[in-house]
């Protein structure tokens, strides 16, 4: 099996396009900014083989046409709602092969109705786009629903705990502040805060990837039932006279609080 290297390409204000590199060939996940992507590929003398798209938001596909025009043999992997000109159309449950590694296409709607994530069991990695971030999850936009988002995160929660998560934005510190706002006495959160500050300092401002097991312990959207006694959530429940205290309803409450944070 070939050895691959995964690197971040910084794009726009806070986006990451993830490159999967084997020798002098590369695939990328999303195409935010053609100039940044082409610069990275040329600097590292890489031939672009494929572009894997997660969803249709402009900050994820805005550089697509520019990259395609520069690398006209590149193959684009996407579903029809994301990009109807895809060379290889994907849907949940499909398998795509990258440098000998099988990636499962996971249907993860919620942030948008077309959202796809890509999981490789043998490499223990997940490219979730905007579905999950360290300490948070994506907003509900563009045909997505809170029910779909809850189910998508439930699906991610079931992946092996040693999965590394390569989210598509650098939102970590802002999201960590929110997690501490809800759960200020959580020692695990405070320990992660110090570790992440050091990681960001020595890693060119990049906090990713993160370990799923750490997220299961500290991401409020993956543990809503554990936060039912949070003063912030308790007050919201009282104010809105919420009777249903199921995991899904608490998830909705946390997402609503985050939207206004």
């Amino acid at each position: 099996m070939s050895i691959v290297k995964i690197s971040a390409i910084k794009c726009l204000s806070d986006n990451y396009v993830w490159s999967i590199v084997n020798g002098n060939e590369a695939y990328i996940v999303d195409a935010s900014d053609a100039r940044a992507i082409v610069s990275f590929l040329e600097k590292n003398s890489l031939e672009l083989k494929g572009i894997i798209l997660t969803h249709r938001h402009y900050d994820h596909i805005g550089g697509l046409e520019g990259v395609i025009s520069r690398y006209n043999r590149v193959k684009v992997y996407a579903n029809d709602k994301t990009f109807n000109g895809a060379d290889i159309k994907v849907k949940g449950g499909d398998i795509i092969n990258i440098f000998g590694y099988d990636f499962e296409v996971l249907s993860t709607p919620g942030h948008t109705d077309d959202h796809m994530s890509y999981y490789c069991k043998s490499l223990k990695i997940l490219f979730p786009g905007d579905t999950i971030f360290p300490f948070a999850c994506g907003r509900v936009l563009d045909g997505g629903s809170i029910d779909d988002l809850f189910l998508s995160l439930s699906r991610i929660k079931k992946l092996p705990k040693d999965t590394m998560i390569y989210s598509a934005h650098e939102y970590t510190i802002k999201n960590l502040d929110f997690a501490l706002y809800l759960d200020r006495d959580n020692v695990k959160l405070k320990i992660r805060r110090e570790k992440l500050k050091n990681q960001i300092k020595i890693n060119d401002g990049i906090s990713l990837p993160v370990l799923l097991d750490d997220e299961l312990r500290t991401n409020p959207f993956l543990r809503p039932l554990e936060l039912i006694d949070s003063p912030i959530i308790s007050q919201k429940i009282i104010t809105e006279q919420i009777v249903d205290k199921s995991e899904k309803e608490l998830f909705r409450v946390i997402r609503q609080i985050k939207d206004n944070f």
Side-chain angles (χ1 to χ4, degrees), residues 132-236:
I132 186 172
F133 301 105
F135 310 106
C137 66
R139 287 175 176 264
V140 174
L141 301 168
D142 291 348
S145 72
I146 196 70
D147 287 350
D148 281 345
L149 187 58
F150 176 77
L151 289 173
S152 293
L153 287 172
S154 297
R155 189 171 297 127
I156 289 172
K157 284 169 66 173
K158 294 176 182 176
L159 295 176
K161 292 181 180 181
D162 58 355
T163 300
M164 299 301 293
I165 299 172
Y166 291 79
S167 304
H169 289 272
E170 185 55 70
Y171 293 159
T172 300
I173 296 302
K174 187 190 304 183
N175 291 339
L176 175 54
D177 290 342
F178 174 71
L180 283 165
Y181 172 69
L182 292 182
D183 198 12
R184 60 192 175 203
D185 296 324
N186 188 323
V187 175
K188 296 185 183 74
L189 271 172
K190 294 176 181 179
I191 292 172
R192 278 196 77 191
R193 177 176 58 186
E194 296 311 309
K195 287 182 177 179
L196 282 166
K197 282 183 177 178
N198 289 332
Q199 179 179 336
I200 288 168
K201 189 180 295 184
I202 65 175
N203 197 32
D204 193 27
I206 301 171
S207 65
L208 295 154
V210 294
L211 186 66
L212 176 57
D213 191 38
D214 287 337
E215 292 304 304
L216 292 169
R217 297 168 187 268
T218 56
N219 187 325
F221 293 95
L222 301 186
R223 44 191 289 272
L225 289 174
E226 296 177 37
L227 298 176
I228 193 168
D229 294 325
S230 162
I232 306 299
I233 295 174
S234 296
Q235 185 58 48
K236 183 80 169 175

Side-chain angles (χ1 to χ4, degrees), residues 120-131:
C120 181
K121 184 177 181 179
S122 55
L123 291 174
K124 302 178 182 179
I125 59 175
L126 174 71
F127 297 109
D130 288 358
T131 300

